[in-house]
């Protein structure tokens, strides 16, 4: 009897001084509701599979955020690259002007690409809504700008080591790589966007583009790749105005 009394006394004690014991509180916890997938960060999506960006392009509620976020990434990344290159050349005290001109140069390159790409989409009967096309161009340029930012530290080191050849060559190579990455990204985005719209219209997640549609989308994607890569890759000429 004494042992039973001790057992009852023990189990009646609270589990914590801040929460009294009760049968209801000792009952198994209910299964938690399935949490929705957390919002992915745009900066991460720009470097991952383009299908994540396509989801934003096709969602009207996320389109404006994609545009503003991409512009922000372009501005910060290109400004960092310009400031680093200015410091490497011994002009670190006047980094504001190069940063502003470099960011403006990227946006002007996109503006130069938009007209021919949109005209090509009309000519091949594969017109992309202008808002989505602008967002896709900005997202592609943002991916290329992130590559520029990643090449800023090597540029600084090489320019300090060899200001005659290694530094300028890496500056040229950085812009060419950035342009190629932006062109490849817009090519992939347009292809995936066409596939997603087709699957949504047909209600079939496994549907593919018809041969005719794939041909027209392929032409538009290649034109976009050429225009974005060419205009973005020529961005290094802006440094001629910086001395």
């Amino acid at each position: 009897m004494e042992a039973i009394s001790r057992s009852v006394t023990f189990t009646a004690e609270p589990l914590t001084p801040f929460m009294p014991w009760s049968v209801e509180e000792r009952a198994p916890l209910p299964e938690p509701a399935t949490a929705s997938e957390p919002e992915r960060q745009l900066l991460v999506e720009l470097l991952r599979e383009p299908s994540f960006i396509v989801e934003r392009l096709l969602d009207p509620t996320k389109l404006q955020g994609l545009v503003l976020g991409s512009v922000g990434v372009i501005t910060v990344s290109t400004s960092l690259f310009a400031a680093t290159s200015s410091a490497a050349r011994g002009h670190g005290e006047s980094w504001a002007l190069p940063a502003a001109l470099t960011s403006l140069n990227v946006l002007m390159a996109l503006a130069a690409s938009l007209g021919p790409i949109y005209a090509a989409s009309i000519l091949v009967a594969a017109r992309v809504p202008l808002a989505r096309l602008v967002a896709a161009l900005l997202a592609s340029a943002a991916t290329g700008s992130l590559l520029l930012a990643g090449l800023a530290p090597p540029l600084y080191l090489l320019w300090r080591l060899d200001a005659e050849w290694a530094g300028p060559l890496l500056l040229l190579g950085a812009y060419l790589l950035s342009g190629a990455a932006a062109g490849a990204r817009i090519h992939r985005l347009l292809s995936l966007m066409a596939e997603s719209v087709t699957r949504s219209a047909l209600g079939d997640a496994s549907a593919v583009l018809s041969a005719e549609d794939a041909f027209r989308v392929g032409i538009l994607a290649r034109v976009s790749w050429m225009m974005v890569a060419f205009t973005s890759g020529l961005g290094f000429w802006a440094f001629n105005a910086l001395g």
Side-chain angles (χ1 to χ4, degrees), residues 40-48 52-53 56 185:
R40 295 186 296 265
Q41 296 296 322
L42 176 61
L43 188 63
V44 176
E45 292 185 357
L46 289 172
L47 298 174
R48 296 179 62 188
F52 296 114
I53 299 298
R56 291 179 179 264
R185 179 53 65 99

Side-chain angles (χ1 to χ4, degrees), residues 60-147:
T61 62
K62 297 181 179 180
L63 197 59
Q64 183 178 4
L66 176 60
V67 171
L68 296 178
S70 298
V71 171
V73 170
I74 291 172
T75 302
V76 173
S77 299
T78 55
S79 297
L80 175 62
F81 183 81
T84 303
S85 62
S86 297
R89 290 176 297 160
H91 305 297
E93 68 282 354
S94 58
W95 61 269
L97 179 60
L101 289 179
T102 306
S103 301
L104 181 62
N105 183 70
V106 175
L107 297 177
M108 290 177 62
L110 294 179
S113 303
L114 179 61
I117 293 174
Y118 189 70
S121 69
I122 296 176
L123 290 176
V124 299
R127 186 177 66 86
V128 182
L130 192 57
R132 290 179 181 174
L133 180 58
V134 171
L137 283 172
L138 288 171
S140 302
T143 300
S145 299
L146 288 174
L147 180 59

